[in-house]
Amino acid sequence: MYKFKDSEITPEHVFLNRRKFMSAGVSAGLSATLLGLPSLASEEDLIPNKYEDIISYNNYYEFSTSKEGVKPLVGDFKTSPWEVQIEGAFDKTGTFDLNDVLAGLAKQDRIYRFRCVEGWSMVVPWNGFRLADILNKFGLQSSAKYIAFQTVERPEEMPGMRYRSLDWPYREGLRIDEAMHDLTLMATGIYDKDIPAQNGAPMRLVVPWKYGFKSIKSIVKISAVTEEPYATWNQTNSREYGFYANVNPNVDHPRWSQATERPLGGGLLAGRVDTKMFNGYDEVASLYSGMDLKKFF
């Protein structure tokens, strides 16, 4: 289980941890468990990437297929006001202002490793809200088996959507137990700042034990459904992108190994490091008890 060391982290992270330490009444150096934070099942220290790293290297095909090309193209993207449609097996459905969706919920600070299916990773200090808290606020019904998500579709503001690189709008989904897990976050900020457009403003999903393409950005629809929902990359090429998309060093992508990864910028170590099962979040392993994780990748 990792520990925070002020001597090893960026100035923004010092600020965030100081606030956590003060609220918990403890000092730096104690474990994440004692601070009440979700953590990696690892002995390594997590060193968050610099803010500029995080906002300058983005997969967001709605703008560009170039990671460095996304940031220069987001200037026309409007994130306020923002509405979210809640539909399906909820007691309360309709279209709601994002501020009303999040009102009254406890804000979370989470430091997670982010692992891309392409074989790179970074460490991001997210701010946001438990997805479970949002679902419960609208009265999630027991008939629901999955939660489906949809990204906004505005080709006039998102130039990548003018090309059919994917089947727009971008869609993703989680099983109910995945959606309700404490680690699953709806992020609205990074380093205690509003999340930038290139990172999925104003609200995106973060599921740290899954490959990054599951963490859908700029969400405008949340649906509680009974059947496995459409998932864009899985439907585009199911041979290469599974619905579950759990980080698994033992299941290679057909075109490259997943056994190691390349931390970016101020990440863990220089060069490549071993990839951990579930990205190191062993506490989710029980969700997949009895499943063949090579078949259901």
Side-chain angles (χ1 to χ4, degrees), residues 131-132 135 140 144-149 171-181 183-186 205-211 213-216 219 222-231 243-246 287-288:
L131 175 58
L135 301 180
L140 180 66
K145 305 302 180 187
Y146 297 87
I147 301 296
F149 308 90
R171 286 156 284 175
E172 258 303 341
L174 296 174
R175 213 169 58 187
I176 283 292
D177 54 353
E178 298 173 322
M180 297 297 287
H181 196 281
L183 291 177
T184 306
L185 191 71
M186 279 293 200
L205 183 68
V206 179
V207 192
W209 69 92
K210 295 181 178 290
Y211 293 117
F213 67 85
K214 292 294 289 187
S215 293
I216 183 171
I219 293 169
I222 301 173
S223 308
V225 298
T226 57
E227 302 293 332
E228 183 178 292
Y230 185 100
F243 176 80
Y244 285 93
N246 293 319
L287 300 181
Y288 310 101

Side-chain angles (χ1 to χ4, degrees), residues 71-84:
K71 183 181 176 183
L73 296 175
V74 301
D76 293 331
F77 187 58
K78 299 176 179 64
T79 60
S80 181
W82 192 270
E83 292 183 331
V84 179

Side-chain angles (χ1 to χ4, degrees), residues 42 53 81 85 128-129 138 152 163 166 207-208 217 261 268 295:
S42 168
D53 295 336
Q85 184 178 350
F129 302 84
F138 288 89
V152 70
Y163 307 94
L166 289 173
V207 192
K217 303 177 179 74
E261 63 198 65
L268 290 170
K295 178 180 179 181

Side-chain angles (χ1 to χ4, degrees), residues 125-285:
W126 303 101
N127 318 112
F129 302 84
R130 293 184 185 92
L131 175 58
D133 290 345
I134 296 174
L135 301 180
N136 286 332
K137 178 176 179 175
F138 288 89
L140 180 66
Q141 297 174 359
S142 60
S143 60
K145 305 302 180 187
Y146 297 87
I147 301 296
F149 308 90
Q150 183 173 307
T151 295
V152 70
E153 186 175 11
R154 295 187 198 151
E156 68 279 7
E157 299 175 19
M158 308 167 86
M161 298 189 79
R162 300 167 197 166
Y163 307 94
R164 302 308 299 181
S165 54
L166 289 173
D167 179 22
W168 311 119
Y170 196 92
R171 286 156 284 175
E172 258 303 341
L174 296 174
R175 213 169 58 187
I176 283 292
D177 54 353
E178 298 173 322
M180 297 297 287
H181 196 281
D182 183 60
L183 291 177
T184 306
L185 191 71
M186 279 293 200
T188 56
I190 295 172
Y191 273 124
D192 211 30
K193 305 171 185 177
D194 288 343
I195 191 168
Q198 62 267 32
N199 292 93
M203 181 176 73
R204 65 168 293 165
L205 183 68
V206 179
V207 192
W209 69 92
K210 295 181 178 290
Y211 293 117
F213 67 85
K214 292 294 289 187
S215 293
I216 183 171
K217 303 177 179 74
S218 303
I219 293 169
V220 292
K221 184 185 291 187
I222 301 173
S223 308
V225 298
T226 57
E227 302 293 332
E228 183 178 292
Y230 185 100
T232 294
W233 276 108
N234 176 236
Q235 292 295 320
T236 299
N237 189 343
S238 61
R239 177 175 170 269
E240 296 191 359
Y241 305 97
F243 176 80
Y244 285 93
N246 293 319
V247 176
N248 189 339
N250 303 311
V251 177
D252 290 336
H253 188 280
R255 289 181 281 135
W256 55 79
S257 170
Q258 294 289 18
T260 64
E261 63 198 65
R262 176 176 59 93
L264 297 178
L268 290 170
L269 298 169
R272 301 192 71 86
V273 299
D274 291 340
T275 291
K276 298 178 182 299
M277 187 68 195
F278 300 119
N279 207 20
Y281 296 89
D282 295 336
E283 54 264 57
V284 304

